[in-house]
């Protein structure tokens, strides 16, 4: 299968212009931005107050790296698990393919088996793409399997170029361009992973490199994607922050100074400074069409941008889910727990067991009066997860009543209130537990026993 041809673009004038403005700066010693990354101090965020305009595109999307970056940091998934998760991603992304692509390793037979099985499904979305070693043999393999695109690592900070690859910028650029040309010769579309872009020299290396890539794209008429990888999570989204840490500054530079079309730009975030989600949203807002995510954010160190979070960011920015089926997120939580043995931290937004559980008595009282007061949205509708109240020392009568109503799915006429006799008896039992020195919350099983006993005594049927 041949890579999709790019629309004939006339970047020629722009490219000639930019080439002169931003030539490669081939430094003798690495620029490691010691002012921003002193290493023995906490990294710094500096500002020059240059403001770039919003530039969100009409069509934005999510790409998935659950089986690549996500899998790198955990026990590998079995083929069966990959196929099952791929199925869930297909349903979650909906018919418009908001989850547009998913990338797969092709290294081992097991990796390739998973790709063949997922291809057999015949889904248009997520389109299957690959991640390989950058060699002619591997490009041929991508082609043989019938994929259109592959990821290629093009680390771009001097940390990588000088310290890891032991090259100069000029040598790295020459090497990358020859590998990418080889990929294009095979007819495969390269997705260039600009590793460590948030510590790279944007005007001295990244933009001159992108300008060369856009020239190659013109020459071969095959799309070349730029994935901006915030490998260490240093990106920030504050207006006026300086590059290379500024997410909007990087995206603006790629579009305006290197002539990269928005639909060929993806942001790939990490969560080391808790910014993976807001940085990814920022990349959308400033012109990148794609954000690359992994399910539940499972990935290197603190993880990648969680895919489920970007589903809700999408809906908030666009005002519509565009056909995405968010209830699949809850199915995935259950699948990860039961079949993969991965339990999410309970407070994980949208997915953890406690994400919509209220513990404080005073809040529980609010929930009981009207669930909108303490629930982010109709979590039962969108995630099959009605808001819950965990019973603890501070739950009070309202909290216990709410727990009973939810746990037993009582419809409006049958609901108990904080004045119900049943609630009073359960509360008495709960109070006694804490008077006797208990410090943990009361479990559902314990409450079921107490409620069952109390109902028997009162002659109630729930
Ligand atoms: C290895 C690269 C491509 C990456 O995933 C990252 O920079 O996070």
């Amino acid at each position: 299968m041949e890579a999709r041809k790019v629309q004939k673009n006339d970047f020629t004038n722009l490219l000639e212009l930019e080439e002169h403005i931003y030539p490669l700066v081939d430094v003798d010693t690495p620029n490691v931005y010691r002012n921003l990354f002193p290493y023995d101090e906490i990294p710094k965020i500096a500002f020059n107050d240059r403001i770039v305009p919003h530039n969100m595109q009409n069509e934005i999307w999510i790409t998935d790296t659950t089986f690549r970056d996500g899998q790198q940091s955990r026990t590998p998934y079995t083929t069966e698990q990959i196929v099952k998760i791929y199925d869930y991603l297909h349903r979650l992304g909906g018919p418009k393919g908001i989850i547009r692509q998913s990338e797969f390793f092709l290294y081992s037979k097991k990796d390739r088996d998973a790709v063949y099985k997922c291809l057999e499904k015949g889904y248009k979305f997520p389109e299957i793409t690959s991640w390989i070693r950058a060699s002619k043999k591997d490009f041929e393999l991508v082609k043989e399997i019938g994929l259109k695109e592959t990821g290629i690592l093009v680390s771009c900070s001097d940390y990588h170029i000088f310290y890891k690859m032991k090259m100069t910028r000029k040598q790295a650029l020459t090497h990358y361009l020859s590998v990418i040309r080889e990929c294009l010769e095979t007819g495969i579309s390269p997705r260039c992973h600009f590793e460590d872009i948030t510590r790279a020299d944007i005007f001295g290396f990244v933009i001159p490199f992108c300008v060369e890539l856009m020239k190659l794209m013109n020459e071969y008429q095959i799309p070349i994607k730029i994935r901006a990888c915030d490998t260490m999570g240093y990106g920030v989204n504050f207006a006026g922050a300086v590059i290379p840490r500024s997410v909007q500054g990087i995206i603006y530079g790629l579009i305006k100074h290197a002539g990269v079309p928005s639909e060929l730009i993806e942001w790939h975030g990490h969560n080391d400074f808790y910014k993976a989600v807001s940085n990814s949203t920022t990349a959308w807002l400033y012109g990148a069409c794609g954000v690359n995510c992994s399910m539940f954010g499972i990935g290197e160190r603190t993880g990648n941008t969680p895919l489920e979070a970007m589903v809700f960011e999408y809906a908030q920015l666009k005002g519509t889910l565009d056909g995405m089926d968010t209830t699949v997120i809850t199915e995935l939580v259950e699948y990860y727990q039961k079949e993969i043995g991965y339990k999410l931290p309970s407070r994980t937004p949208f997915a953890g067991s406690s994400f919509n559980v209220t513990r404080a008595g005073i809040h529980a009282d609010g929930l009981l009066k009207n669930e909108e007061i303490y629930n982010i949205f109709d979590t039962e509708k969108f995630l099959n997860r009605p808001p819950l109240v965990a019973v603890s020392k501070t739950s009070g009568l309202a909290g216990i009543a709410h727990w009973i109503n939810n746990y037993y799915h009582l419809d409006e006429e049958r609901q108990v209130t904080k004045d119900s006799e049943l609630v009073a008896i359960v509360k008495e039992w709960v109070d006694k537990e804490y008077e006797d020195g208990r410090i943990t919350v009361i479990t559902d099983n314990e409450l079921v026993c107490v409620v069952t006993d109390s109902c028997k005594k009162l002659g109630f049927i729930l």
Side-chain angles (χ1 to χ4, degrees):
M1 193 188 292
E2 255 211 296
R4 184 171 48 92
K5 300 271 188 238
V6 265
Q7 293 254 305
K8 185 101 183 137
N9 269 318
D10 193 12
F11 298 124
T12 337
N13 287 344
L14 175 71
L15 296 183
E16 275 166 10
L17 187 76
E18 295 301 339
E19 202 175 6
H20 295 298
I21 299 179
Y22 303 113
L24 176 80
V25 181
D26 195 22
V27 292
D28 291 331
T29 49
N31 178 359
V32 289
Y33 291 95
R34 272 289 165 248
N35 56 333
L36 302 177
F37 308 109
Y39 200 60
D40 57 354
E41 290 173 35
I42 308 303
K44 324 257 181 230
I45 302 169
F47 291 84
N48 58 8
D49 288 327
R50 287 206 187 154
I51 308 295
V52 297
H54 278 168
N55 182 23
M56 194 171 91
Q57 303 296 298
N58 271 341
E59 246 194 295
I60 54 172
W61 53 80
I62 293 167
T63 62
D64 169 65
T65 190
T66 300
F67 310 127
R68 203 273 299 168
D69 212 352
Q71 205 176 189
Q72 261 166 221
S73 69
R74 47 154 291 123
T75 324
Y77 297 112
T78 64
T79 305
E80 198 197 352
Q81 286 167 345
I82 291 179
V83 177
K84 187 78 188 162
I85 297 168
Y86 178 69
D87 249 327
Y88 281 125
L89 289 172
H90 167 72
R91 285 177 50 221
L92 173 55
K96 292 188 183 168
I98 308 302
I99 303 177
R100 193 148 289 202
Q101 293 186 313
S102 182
E103 67 208 46
F104 288 65
F105 288 128
L106 296 184
Y107 296 135
S108 67
K109 179 173 173 320
K110 193 193 117 226
D111 296 331
R112 292 190 290 272
D113 281 350
V115 170
Y116 286 124
K117 290 219 159 79
C118 291
L119 282 170
E120 269 167 27
K121 300 258 169 197
Y123 298 145
K124 186 168 177 207
F125 301 117
E127 180 198 340
I128 295 170
T129 80
S130 66
W131 172 264
I132 47 156
R133 282 167 288 249
S135 72
K136 182 142 184 70
K137 198 167 138 270
D138 278 16
F139 298 140
E140 294 292 352
L141 177 68
V142 175
K143 193 170 177 180
E144 230 174 84
I145 296 178
L147 307 180
K148 289 189 278 191
E149 180 182 307
T150 192
I152 297 177
L153 186 63
V154 289
S155 313
C156 60
S157 72
D158 286 350
Y159 287 84
H160 287 255
I161 295 172
F162 281 77
Y163 299 150
K164 196 171 83 186
M165 300 165 68
K166 309 273 183 221
M167 285 183 178
T168 62
R169 290 182 184 177
K170 177 107 179 88
Q171 287 166 338
L173 184 79
T174 309
H175 167 65
Y176 293 153
L177 289 174
S178 82
V179 169
I180 288 156
R181 191 177 274 282
E182 204 160 33
C183 178
L184 292 163
E185 283 290 334
T186 327
I188 299 294
S189 177
R191 185 182 61 244
C192 303
H193 292 225
F194 278 58
E195 187 180 21
D196 208 19
I197 201 167
T198 45
R199 282 193 296 186
D201 185 341
I202 303 299
F203 287 108
F205 186 79
V206 170
I207 288 173
F209 180 23
C210 284
V211 168
E212 293 304 320
L213 291 175
M214 294 300 101
K215 281 194 215 163
L216 280 181
M217 180 159 96
N218 252 4
E219 184 184 331
Y220 282 86
Q221 292 295 298
I222 294 177
I224 300 181
K225 282 192 187 151
I226 309 298
R227 183 180 287 181
C229 299
D230 182 15
T231 307
M232 305 303 294
Y234 289 129
V236 296
N237 68 344
F238 310 120
V242 300
I243 52 171
R245 296 196 68 179
S246 162
V247 177
Q248 49 270 63
I250 292 172
I251 304 298
Y252 181 86
L254 294 177
I255 297 170
K256 298 289 175 199
H257 300 306
V260 184
S262 280
E263 63 272 21
L264 297 180
I265 303 177
E266 276 182 78
W267 180 261
H268 169 100
H270 278 270
N271 204 31
D272 299 71
F273 289 88
Y274 277 114
K275 288 189 167 63
V277 172
S278 56
N279 284 343
S280 300
T281 313
T282 302
W284 266 342
L285 276 175
Y286 288 86
C289 282
V291 293
N292 184 242
C293 308
S294 77
M295 208 55 231
F296 305 125
I298 299 168
E300 285 292 339
R301 303 183 311 281
T302 55
N304 294 81
T305 307
L307 186 143
E308 68 283 6
M310 296 316 290
V311 166
F312 290 105
E313 292 290 274
Y314 181 101
Q316 291 182 85
L317 287 176
K318 300 276 290 178
T320 166
L321 279 165
D322 261 338
M324 286 188 281
D325 180 356
T326 48
T327 60
V328 176
I329 294 169
T330 305
E331 291 179 44
L332 271 159
V333 172
E334 281 158 18
Y335 183 75
Y336 266 73
Q337 188 161 329
K338 288 202 191 109
E339 303 299 328
I340 300 183
Y342 179 81
K343 191 163 175 359
L344 282 159
S346 65
R347 291 176 209 281
T348 309
F350 314 116
S353 58
S354 299
F355 93 83
N356 62 347
V357 175
T358 293
R359 289 199 161 76
I362 182 151
H363 293 177
D365 197 28
L367 252 178
L368 191 62
K369 288 185 178 125
N370 181 332
E371 83 173 42
E372 284 184 47
I373 299 172
Y374 282 111
N375 202 19
I376 51 172
F377 50 69
D378 187 343
T379 52
E380 176 155 30
K381 173 174 171 188
F382 291 107
L383 290 162
N384 280 332
R385 298 270 306 267
L388 296 175
V389 173
V391 172
S392 69
K393 193 177 188 165
T394 55
S395 298
L397 288 162
I400 292 168
H402 192 269
W403 184 90
I404 294 174
N405 291 335
N406 264 303
Y407 191 89
Y408 293 96
H409 303 292
L410 300 182
D411 50 37
E412 222 166 295
E413 306 93 77
R414 296 169 62 227
Q415 289 199 347
V416 293
T417 67
K418 59 184 182 180
D419 305 317
S420 307
E421 233 179 319
L422 174 63
V423 175
I425 298 177
V426 177
K427 168 100 171 33
E428 210 174 295
W429 178 85
V430 170
D431 288 347
K432 173 97 180 40
E433 282 291 296
Y434 288 106
E435 273 157 30
D436 291 348
R438 182 171 182 148
I439 47 165
T440 54
V441 291
I442 311 278
T443 65
D444 287 355
N445 282 347
E446 286 174 298
L447 285 169
V448 169
C449 291
V450 180
V451 170
T452 310
D453 278 358
S454 312
C455 280
K456 270 190 204 144
K457 276 185 210 140
L458 295 166
F460 279 8
I461 299 173
L462 284 180

